[in-house]
């Protein structure tokens, strides 16, 4: 029980789901089903697993792998050419900032240091058509579907590298009457001689020249899941005599566009797959209305795309090479050029193909900004942030989305402080069990009290932790100090959740507190392991320990080995500690452990502890009179009780107050946690 293995559901049969998609003409992808994982630092959002590699041996070497239609529509990391030669990580390792004005965006986007820049709301650019420079090592991402840059462009100057631009709407820099974009060079995104760039899940519409221009030998670029809309010259690549650009273009939707979908000039490698071209502007132009054009010495491969009503769906210069396979052409006219060998994309990277028939449904649904992208952020320790505290330091004060700190297996000897102004942080160990990822330190109470002692101190609200172990390994037996209490964890925030976590120490292992005596903070612990000896579960927060294992350590005494709880609940708060449906175990001799004692910090009479232990297994180590006095205050004046406990340490005597069934009905998990806002973290586990 202390270290349960996580359970993973098996995937559905590929053939069955593919058949379903073919029958319905629509993928079974659901945003709700894609919400389980979180985005990486370079790609904040409710992101999903990276693009899967092909299955070796499936259909022979190099054979395309059929897509699993219920697979996620967006990935944590770039795929395709942007993933090669060191990869593209954007602002990974930098601070997360949220911008709402042009000045803020320009400041952080043009900075020398890395940033993850969240664009919240619409940012009008002035003067009309102006550029905002994006420097190297940046992620610029819209928050949900509301992040917009209007009347301006993002520009990557020569030498810029390692940039991710995601989940934005870039629109409306078109000069009235200039459909052809001849008077002003107002692109949506323009890059010159840049490398390692990922353009993903954006919408481009009604801009002054091109929607997206990738120019002058830019390399290692991936353009995926974008919506190009309502424009003449959509997407151009080239403006060079050199054939050096390597680019992947997949799952994009071109609608209401006339040409350049894309136009690729002198690309060394241009790999296009699963794109959807529809609603082409029909103005009768026999030359400059077209779908995709391989120009100059471009080598282009087009796979499993869908052309609907497109004039000249794919064409190539005599000097170019174009290979097309698996695409569907519906109601098209004009050129469908195919010649030369081009290249083999799988010689460069693995990828998956969705069936061409599923492309319209998939791409119209999942191209462009997504509500679940950009809202949340993930920071990886130690891959992007060397320490857990460094990741916490990168979180913006007052952040408005969940920031997940993903901690790789290992032992992190450090103290971690989460200030009150940084709510909505989720700590996640990424190992197979909570024992794999340990945060540990060894400071005792003597050096600054409980807050200074704690290995981890959480002062913020709405913080969660899963699959982790917190330890204070101060050796109280080896050192003589006045204050030997040594906390593994202290919380003072509200709405704190610990699941599948462990807390290890001796005296005062876990303190759940509140900012002041009359303030109510709530903490929910489920499937956790807590060990200690003296007052090792204590404080004044309303705290529920549900379905967990508590180990009372043997201090070697034949009469008194310690106290499980030391509650200091405010007298007007009816709910202090609830230990329910759990197990308390101990190797200590029989009759040597107290269930608890009342703690009155500073002798304050208004701290009247409340503890209910219900439906919990108790060991023989529990005393027959398990509650005791503390600091001159009688336990009988506190609010200590039991309800339907069992095990060798359970009994009903005059010194063991039992809660009545009627009162117990008002002391369930929900009663302790609800507060004034109806908080119910336990409900996620209900059938």
């Amino acid at each position: 029980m202390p270290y349960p293995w996580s359970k993973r559901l098996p995937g559905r049969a590929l053939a069955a789901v593919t058949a379903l998609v073919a029958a319905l003409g629509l993928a079974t992808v659901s945003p709700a089903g894609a919400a389980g994982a979180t985005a990486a630092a370079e790609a904040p959002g409710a992101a999903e697993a990276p693009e899967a590699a092909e299955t070796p041996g499936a259909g022979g070497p190099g054979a395309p792998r059929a897509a699993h239609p219920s697979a996620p529509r967006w990935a944590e990391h770039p795929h395709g050419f942007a993933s090669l030669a060191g990869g593209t990580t954007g602002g990974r390792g930098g601070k997360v900032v949220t911008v709402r004005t042009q000045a803020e965006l320009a400041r952080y986007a043009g900075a020398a240091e890395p940033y993850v820049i969240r664009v919240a709301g619409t940012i009008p650019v002035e003067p009309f058509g102006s550029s905002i420079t994006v420097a190297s090592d940046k992620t610029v991402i819209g928050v949900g579907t509301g992040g917009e840059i209007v009347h301006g462009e993002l520009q990557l100057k020569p030498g810029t590298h390692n940039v991710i631009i995601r989940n934005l709407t870039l629109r409306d820099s078109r000069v009235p009457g200039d459909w052809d974009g001849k008077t002003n060079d107002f692109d949506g995104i323009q890059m010159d001689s840049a490398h390692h760039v990922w353009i993903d899940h954006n919408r481009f519409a009604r801009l002054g020249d091109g929607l997206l221009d990738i120019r002058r030998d830019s390399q290692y670029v991936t353009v995926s899941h974008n919506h190009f809309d309502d424009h003449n010259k959509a997407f151009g690549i080239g403006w060079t005599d050199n054939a050096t650009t390597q680019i992947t273009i997949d799952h994009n939707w071109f609608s209401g566009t006339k040409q350049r979908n894309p136009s690729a000039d002198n690309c060394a490698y241009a790999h296009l797959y699963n794109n959807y071209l529809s609603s082409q502007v029909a103005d009768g132009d026999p030359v400059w209305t077209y779908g995709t054009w391989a120009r100059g010495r471009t080598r282009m491969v087009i796979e499993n795309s869908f052309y609907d009503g497109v004039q000249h769906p794919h064409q190539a210069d005599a000097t170019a090479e174009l290979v097309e396979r698996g695409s569907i052409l519906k109601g098209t006219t004009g050129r469908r050029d195919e010649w030369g060998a081009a290249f083999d994309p799988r010689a460069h990277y693995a990828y998956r193909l969705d069936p061409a028939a599923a492309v319209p449904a998939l791409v119209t649904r999942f191209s462009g900004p997504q509500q679940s992208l950009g809202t949340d952020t993930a920071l990886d320790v130690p891959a992007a942030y060397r320490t857990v505290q460094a990741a916490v330091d990168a979180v913006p004060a007052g952040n408005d989305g969940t920031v997940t700190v993903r901690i790789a297996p290992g032992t992190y000897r450090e103290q971690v402080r989460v200030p009150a102004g940084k709510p909505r942080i989720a700590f996640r160990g990424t190992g197979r069990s909570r024992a794999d990822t340990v945060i540990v330190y060894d400071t005792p109470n003597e050096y600054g009290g409980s807050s200074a002692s704690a290995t981890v101190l959480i002062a913020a609200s709405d913080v969660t932790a899963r699959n982790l172990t917190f330890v204070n390994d101060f050796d109280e037996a080896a050192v003589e100090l006045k204050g030997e209490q040594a906390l593994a964890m202290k919380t003072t925030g509200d709405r704190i959740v610990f699941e599948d976590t462990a807390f290890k120490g001796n005296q005062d292992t876990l303190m759940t507190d509140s900012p002041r005596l009359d303030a109510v903070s709530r903490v929910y612990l489920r499937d956790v392991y807590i060990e200690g000896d003296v007052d090792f579960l204590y404080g004044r927060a309303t705290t529920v320990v549900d379905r967990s294992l508590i180990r009372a350590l043997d201090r070697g005494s034949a009469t008194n080995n310690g106290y499980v709880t030391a509650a200091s609940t405010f007298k007007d708060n009816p709910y202090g500690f609830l230990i329910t449906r759990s197990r308390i175990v101990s190797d200590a001799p029989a009759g040597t452990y107290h269930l608890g004692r009342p703690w009155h910090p500073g002798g304050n009479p208004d701290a009247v502890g409340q503890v209910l232990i219900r439906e919990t297994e108790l060991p023989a180590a529990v005393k027959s009179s398990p509650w005791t006095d503390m600091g001159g205050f009688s336990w009988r004046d506190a609010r200590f009780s039991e309800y339907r406990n069992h095990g060798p340490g359970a009994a009903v005597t005059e010194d063991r107050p039992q809660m009545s069934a009627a009162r117990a009905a008002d002391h369930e998990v929900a009663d302790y946690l609800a507060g004034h806002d109806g908080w119910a973290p336990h409900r996620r586990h209900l059938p």
Side-chain angles (χ1 to χ4, degrees):
M1 181 173 175
Y3 303 101
W5 296 99
S6 60
K7 299 178 181 178
R8 293 174 171 81
L9 297 176
R12 296 178 180 176
L14 174 62
V17 180
T18 304
L20 177 62
V21 170
L24 297 178
L26 177 67
T28 59
V29 183
S30 165
T38 48
E42 65 273 20
E48 294 300 320
E51 298 287 338
E54 68 231 71
T55 303
R65 170 188 164 191
H68 192 310
S70 65
R73 293 297 102 196
W74 45 87
E76 293 187 10
H77 307 287
H79 54 281
F81 279 111
S83 68
L84 304 182
T88 304
T89 58
R92 179 182 184 182
K95 290 187 176 180
V96 180
V97 295
T98 301
V99 300
R100 294 176 172 83
T101 68
Q102 179 179 348
E104 291 173 334
L105 176 58
R107 171 190 171 190
Y108 292 113
E113 58 267 39
Y115 278 103
V116 176
I117 304 167
R118 302 168 72 243
V119 178
T122 299
I123 297 180
V125 176
E126 296 179 351
F128 187 93
S130 297
S131 298
I132 294 175
T133 299
V134 180
S136 300
D137 304 320
K138 300 294 181 297
T139 293
V140 184
I141 183 163
V143 177
T145 57
E148 296 188 313
I149 297 174
V150 182
H151 309 324
E153 73 174 8
L154 299 179
Q155 186 176 65
L156 282 62
K157 295 182 177 180
T160 301
H161 59 276
N162 193 31
V163 172
I164 295 172
I165 300 175
R166 298 190 85 188
N167 215 52
L168 290 170
T169 294
L170 299 105
R171 61 175 176 85
D172 294 317
S173 64
R174 180 187 299 162
V175 175
D178 185 21
W179 162 255
D180 290 332
K182 297 295 187 182
T183 61
N184 294 282
D185 188 16
F186 298 160
D187 300 323
I189 299 175
Q190 182 186 98
M191 67 185 76
D192 289 324
S193 306
H195 66 91
H196 288 94
V197 181
W198 186 26
I199 309 294
D200 179 70
H201 276 102
N202 303 289
R203 179 174 181 247
F204 301 84
R206 300 179 301 278
L207 296 168
D209 182 28
L211 297 176
L212 174 60
D213 279 4
I214 297 174
R215 317 190 316 175
R216 298 190 176 95
D217 304 327
S218 293
Q219 299 189 69
Y220 298 109
V221 180
T222 296
V223 178
S224 55
H225 294 95
N226 300 284
H227 185 189
F228 298 91
D229 185 34
D230 191 7
H231 203 74
N232 178 10
K233 300 178 292 186
F235 176 8
I237 312 162
W239 292 270
T240 178
D241 294 329
N242 304 313
T244 57
T245 296
Q246 311 100 326
I247 188 166
T248 302
I249 303 167
D250 69 281
H251 292 90
N252 299 285
W253 182 18
F254 298 86
S255 66
T257 57
K258 178 180 176 181
Q259 58 180 308
R260 299 186 184 176
N261 301 294
S263 168
D265 184 29
N266 284 326
C267 290
Y269 306 114
H271 182 207
L272 288 68
Y273 66 95
N274 289 145
N275 296 295
Y276 180 40
L277 282 72
S278 70
S279 304
Q280 185 182 44
V281 171
D283 59 4
D285 185 336
V287 177
W288 300 112
T289 300
Y290 62 88
T292 305
W293 195 339
R295 307 176 70 164
R297 289 176 290 147
T298 290
R299 287 178 285 182
M300 178 180 288
V301 174
I302 300 173
E303 298 182 283
N304 285 30
S305 292
F306 198 109
Y307 297 83
D308 189 355
V310 176
Q311 178 175 269
H312 306 310
H314 48 83
Q315 60 188 33
D317 290 354
T319 52
E321 298 181 30
L322 191 155
V323 170
E324 185 285 316
R325 50 179 174 255
S327 299
I328 293 176
L329 282 68
K330 176 183 175 183
T332 62
T333 61
R335 295 175 61 174
R336 306 176 186 179
D337 299 340
E338 296 183 54
W339 49 67
F343 70 103
D344 179 10
R346 294 185 188 278
H348 298 271
Y349 53 80
Y351 61 100
R352 66 183 187 188
L353 291 171
D354 285 310
V359 164
L362 287 173
V363 171
T364 55
R365 184 174 180 182
F366 294 108
S367 65
Q370 304 292 309
Q371 184 60 47
S372 55
L373 279 172
T375 302
D376 299 336
T377 307
L379 311 179
D380 291 316
V381 178
Y385 301 85
R386 188 176 59 84
T387 65
V388 179
Q389 187 63 55
V392 172
D393 292 343
V395 176
N399 54 291
D400 55 2
T402 298
V403 177
T404 300
V405 177
R406 298 189 301 202
I407 310 169
T411 298
Y412 300 83
R413 181 161 286 277
E414 59 175 302
Q415 286 188 299
V416 178
R417 299 292 180 263
V418 183
K422 295 191 175 186
R424 290 178 285 276
I425 296 178
F427 295 97
R428 300 285 184 272
T430 63
R432 293 195 63 185
S433 83
R434 63 194 179 202
D436 292 340
T437 309
V438 180
I439 303 175
V440 57
Y441 214 66
D442 59 356
T443 298
N445 188 73
E446 177 77 5
Y447 306 131
S450 61
S451 293
S453 161
T455 298
V456 177
L457 170 62
I458 299 174
S461 295
D462 299 302
V463 174
T464 65
R466 292 190 177 95
N467 205 38
L468 293 163
T469 294
F470 304 99
V471 181
N472 192 318
D473 63 354
F474 169 71
D475 188 351
E476 64 178 14
V479 181
E480 287 294 332
L481 295 173
K482 294 180 180 178
E484 293 187 349
Q485 303 94 326
L487 284 66
M489 171 68 66
K490 178 179 179 179
T491 70
T492 59
D494 188 23
R495 296 183 300 272
I496 309 294
V497 175
F498 296 102
E499 292 184 305
D500 191 21
T501 51
F503 306 87
K504 296 183 176 183
N506 291 109
Q507 185 170 352
D508 293 8
T509 303
L510 173 60
M511 182 182 191
T512 56
D513 215 30
S514 65
R516 61 184 190 277
L517 179 59
D518 60 351
V520 176
S521 290
R522 293 158 294 173
V523 181
Y524 179 60
L525 302 102
R526 182 183 172 105
D527 298 323
V528 307
Y529 172 81
I530 308 168
E531 73 172 33
D533 46 42
V534 174
D535 306 331
F536 61 95
L537 180 56
Y538 78 113
R540 60 179 171 237
T542 295
T543 304
V544 173
V545 181
D546 188 11
R547 299 182 183 274
S548 296
L549 180 64
I550 299 171
R551 181 175 297 278
L553 300 176
D554 184 1
R555 292 194 300 164
S557 172
T559 57
N560 183 11
N561 278 292
Y563 317 85
V564 176
T565 67
S568 56
T569 319
F570 180 50
K571 62 182 179 60
D572 293 336
N573 181 4
Y575 301 115
F577 281 93
L578 170 64
I579 299 173
T580 180
R581 298 175 293 185
S582 296
R583 293 177 62 214
I584 300 177
V585 299
S586 182
D587 295 328
T592 61
Y593 246 100
H594 295 89
L595 291 178
R597 55 184 182 170
W599 180 38
H600 292 257
N604 192 331
D606 290 337
V608 183
Q610 191 274 326
V611 178
L612 169 61
I613 302 176
R614 61 177 295 167
E615 299 164 300
T616 289
E617 180 181 332
L618 302 181
V622 172
K623 288 177 173 284
S624 58
S625 297
W627 310 101
T628 189
D629 303 340
M630 183 179 187
F633 290 90
S634 171
W635 72 265
R636 295 184 183 277
D637 296 328
R639 295 167 287 173
F640 296 157
S641 58
E642 301 176 66
Y643 180 71
R644 292 186 176 177
N645 292 323
H646 56 280
V652 178
T653 69
E654 290 184 359
D655 288 338
R656 304 187 73 156
Q658 302 294 309
M659 185 172 284
S660 68
R663 288 198 63 212
D666 294 327
H667 283 72
E668 302 279 3
V669 172
D671 301 306
Y672 277 73
L673 299 179
H676 297 295
D677 55 9
W679 190 52
H682 61 291
R683 292 191 62 83
R684 64 189 296 268
H685 298 285
L686 297 179

